[in-house]
Amino acid sequence: MGNEKSALNGLKIDEKPVEITDFWTHYMACVNGYNAQRISVFVSEPSLHYNANFGNPSPLEKAAKNLMLYRHPCILKYVSSWSKGSKFFLATEQVKPLIQSIETQNTLQICMGLYSILRALVFLHEKAFVSHNNLCESSIYVTPEGCWKLGGLECLCKFNDLTSSYLQKIKSYRCEKAISINEDATITLTNFTTIDVYAFGVLAEDILRQKDPDDVPSLSEFKQFCKENLQNPDPSLRCELSHVLQHPFFTHDFMRIYAFLNELVLKSNKEKEIFFGTLITQLRMFPENIVAEQLGRLLLSRMVLLDTTAQEQLLPFILKPKDGNDNTDSNLFSISTFKVYLVPKLLQMFCIRDVSIRLVLLSYFNSFVHIFQVDELKSQVLPELLVGIKDTNDHLVSATLKALADIVPILGAATVIGGNRGKLFTDGRPNKLKDNKKTKNSINAEFVIPTDSIQKVIDLPERPSPDGGEDKKEITSSITEEEYTWSDWDIQETADMHARISQSSDAIFQSQSNSNDISISDSTLRITTDAVLNIDKNKTSELKLTKKSAGIISDISELDIKNSKLIDTCKEEYDYFTDMEPVIKKTQILHIQQPQILSKSVFDIKALNGLETSEENNGWEEDLSDWGTEDVHEIKT
C-alpha cells in the first residue's frame, strides 16, 4: 500500500496481507525513525452488510476502542488508530494469527499460551466486569517471541449490556462451535462469565486433542476437565476461570516459574528474594533450549534486570554463556543456545536508553561480546555505545569505554574510534634493535671501524716484564668495565667524548713520531674523526626531532575518541634510542685509554697516572734509552 499519510509518521505498510477476514485485512508494517519497529496494521473497508447488522461503529472500530480501553499484558497491545477517507486503520504490536502458527507450537508452548489467555479473561471478568463473547482460535494472536495475546474484542460488552437481544444480534459474527446450546439460560441466571468459560473449554480441547499426554504433566486430566466441567450443559456447574488456573496442568514446576515471572510486578520483596534465591537451581532441571526459548524473554525483562536479588543470584548465570567445560561450568546456557535465543533480545535491549539497564548489560559485556556477529556489533551495538560516552553520567561513560575496549580486538581500532590515526609511539625495547639489525646495517656502517685497524691499536707488542710488576688482568678488567659502561643520552656526554678523543689523537701523533715500532694508519685516524663528527650530527638531529615530536599534542583536552586530528609527523619513524645501540659501545673502544695498555710495554704504570717518577732501566734494551719523560705527559689522559 506504500507510504500513505497516517497518524504514525514514517509508516510503510507491506503490500502482501497477512490475513483477510470479513471485517478487515491484516498487514505487516514498519515505522521508520529511531529504533525502527515492525507493527501490525488492520484495515477495514466500509461494508453495507455488516453495518446493517452489526451497527455503528464498525467491528474494527469497536475492537480498536476496546483495545485502547482494556490494557493487560496478555491482551493485544494497542498502538494507534485513525481514519483516512472511507478506510479505518488500527495499529497494534507485531503479531500473527494463532491459526497460522498452531502447527509449530509444542505442548509446553500451548500450555503457556492457554495460561496467558486465562489470565486475560480473568482480568476482563473480575476487574473490568465485561464478557469477551467470541473466544476462539481466530481471536488469538502470537507475538514474534511466542506469547499468546487475546484479541477479537469487537463482540465484547459489559455485563450489564449482556442481554439475549445483544447475543442474537452478534451471533452471526461469533464462532459457532463456541456457543452453548442453552446460552439463554446463562442470561436468566445472571452468570455472565459462563459464556467465556464454555468457549475456553472448547478451545483447549481442540488444541490439545492431538498432543501426547506425556509431554506435560496432568495433560490427560486437563482434557477430561475441559470436557466434563468447562463444557457442562448446565452453566451453574461450570467453575470460574480463576479456579482453572489452579489446575495441575498449570501448576507444575515449569509453569510455576513462568507464572511467577509474568506476575513479578505483583510480588512482594520477600517473595522475590525466596524465588530468585532458588531459581537457577530449578532452571537446571529443564533442557536449556526450552528454558531459553520459553523463558528467555522473561528472564531478561526489566523487572528482573533491576531486581537486587536477581542481579546477585541469577544474572551472573544467565548473561555469561558456558565456556565449553560442562563438568565445571555453572552457567545456564551454552554458546549456541545463547546465540539463538538471547542475542536477539540483547540487541533490542541495547536500544533502550535507560541508564540502569545499560549498566547491567555493560557489567557482563565482556562475557558475551564475542557471541555477536561482526555486523551486529558494528551496526547495532557500537552506535549505541558511542552514544553512551557522551552522557553526563561518569559511571556510564567509564563502563562504556571499557566495553569499547572489548570491541577493539573484534572490529579493529579504526572502526571503533575512527580511521584518522597515526603511529605516535615507538618500540624502545633493546630486543627491537636486534630484530632490526639487518635494516640498520647500512646506517651503522659509518660508525664501525674496520677490525684490522682496531687490531693495530689494541694488539701492540707487549713488553715482557722482568719483575712482574704490572698486573695485566687488572688493567684489562678496568678497560673492559669502561668499555661497557651504559651512558645516558645527554648532549654534554658527546662533547666530553669528543674532547677526550681529540686529546688522545694528539697523543697518538706524538707517540708515532718518536717510535718506529708503533704504527697507526691514516685511515684509522680518519675513521675516528668521522665517527666523532657523525655522533655530533646524530645528537643534534635527535635533539631537534625530540622537540618537534613533543609538540604534536599540545593540549590533552584536544583528544577526542572520534574526532581527534593528528598533526603530520615525520614520514620515517625516528628511533629515539639510537645512542643505546651497541654501536656506541664499539665507538667507545676508540677511547684513548686503549693506548694506555700499549704504553705499559715502554713505561712504568705509575707514569700513566701522571706521576713524575724515575724510570729503572733494568732489563730494557739500549735502543729505547732515547725515550723521554715529556712523551709520557703527552699520552696521559
Side-chain angles (χ1 to χ4, degrees), residues 367-387:
S367 299
F368 57 76
V369 61
H370 60 283
I371 301 180
F372 289 113
Q373 298 292 334
V374 173
D375 59 335
E376 293 174 342
L377 282 175
K378 187 175 181 179
S379 61
Q380 300 183 57
V381 178
L382 180 59
E384 291 298 332
L385 291 180
L386 295 179
V387 173

Side-chain angles (χ1 to χ4, degrees), residues 26-258:
H26 180 187
Y27 297 90
M28 290 296 178
C30 179
V31 180
N32 296 324
Y34 169 72
N35 191 21
Q37 60 178 339
R38 299 282 292 176
I39 62 173
S40 289
V41 175
F42 300 83
V43 183
S44 68
E45 295 281 356
S47 173
L48 297 176
H49 173 68
Y50 68 66
N51 281 344
N53 296 276
F54 197 88
N56 289 318
S58 66
L60 185 61
E61 292 179 85
K62 189 172 182 180
K65 180 181 178 180
N66 290 328
L67 289 176
M68 182 172 54
L69 183 61
Y70 303 108
R71 306 279 187 130
H72 188 270
C74 298
I75 295 179
L76 186 61
K77 183 179 179 180
Y78 172 88
V79 175
S80 180
S81 62
W82 66 95
S83 297
K84 183 184 178 183
S86 61
K87 296 180 179 180
F88 182 81
F89 297 80
L90 168 64
T92 68
E93 61 181 316
Q94 181 183 359
V95 290
K96 62 181 179 180
L98 175 63
I99 299 175
Q100 298 181 8
S101 60
I102 189 62
E103 297 298 331
T104 61
Q105 299 268 318
N106 58 44
T107 308
L108 183 58
Q109 288 176 312
I110 292 175
C111 178
M112 297 167 62
L114 290 174
Y115 181 85
S116 298
I117 299 303
L118 272 177
R119 290 183 59 210
L121 291 173
V122 170
F123 165 76
L124 293 176
H125 291 173
E126 298 182 359
K127 301 296 182 181
F129 304 106
V130 296
S131 176
H132 188 276
N133 298 326
N134 192 29
L135 182 62
C136 57
E137 287 188 38
S138 61
S139 63
I140 300 176
Y141 296 87
V142 182
T143 67
E145 293 81 14
C147 301
W148 289 22
K149 297 296 184 78
L150 180 61
L153 303 188
E154 63 276 0
C155 296
L156 181 143
C157 71
K158 295 181 179 180
F159 287 157
N160 294 336
D161 299 330
L162 188 60
T163 62
S164 298
S165 60
Y166 179 78
L167 292 175
Q168 185 66 31
K169 178 182 177 180
I170 64 174
K171 185 175 182 178
S172 60
Y173 304 100
R174 298 169 59 194
C175 177
E176 185 176 357
K177 186 186 294 187
I179 300 176
S180 175
I181 57 175
N182 55 349
E183 190 174 72
D184 292 339
T186 301
I187 306 303
T188 58
L189 295 173
T190 65
N191 191 2
F192 304 110
T193 61
T194 59
I195 295 178
D196 292 338
V197 171
Y198 182 87
F200 181 82
V202 173
L203 172 68
E205 184 184 9
D206 288 345
I207 293 178
L208 296 172
R209 181 175 286 112
Q210 303 298 328
K211 299 301 179 181
D212 188 347
D214 296 331
D215 290 346
V216 176
S218 303
L219 176 57
S220 298
E221 293 83 347
F222 182 70
K223 289 180 181 180
Q224 185 177 1
F225 175 79
C226 291
K227 185 68 175 179
E228 298 177 355
N229 187 302
L230 300 184
Q231 300 179 47
N232 195 300
D234 186 356
S236 61
L237 298 180
R238 303 170 191 166
C239 68
E240 296 290 338
L241 290 179
S242 57
H243 296 160
V244 180
L245 290 172
Q246 306 304 320
H247 191 278
F249 181 70
F250 296 113
T251 57
H252 55 83
D253 292 341
F254 193 90
M255 282 301 303
R256 187 177 59 82
I257 296 173
Y258 175 80

Side-chain angles (χ1 to χ4, degrees), residues 249-299:
F249 181 70
F250 296 113
T251 57
H252 55 83
D253 292 341
F254 193 90
M255 282 301 303
R256 187 177 59 82
I257 296 173
Y258 175 80
F260 194 99
L261 292 173
N262 263 304
E263 302 169 1
L264 190 62
V265 68
L266 304 177
K267 306 299 182 180
S268 65
N269 291 334
K270 184 64 176 179
E271 290 175 321
K272 293 178 184 178
E273 291 179 4
I274 297 175
F275 175 75
F276 287 120
T278 60
L279 179 57
I280 193 65
T281 302
Q282 299 178 52
L283 292 178
R284 291 197 182 101
M285 299 171 59
F286 306 101
E288 65 174 67
N289 61 322
I290 297 296
V291 174
E293 182 180 8
Q294 308 303 329
L295 301 180
R297 174 185 59 88
L298 296 173
L299 292 173

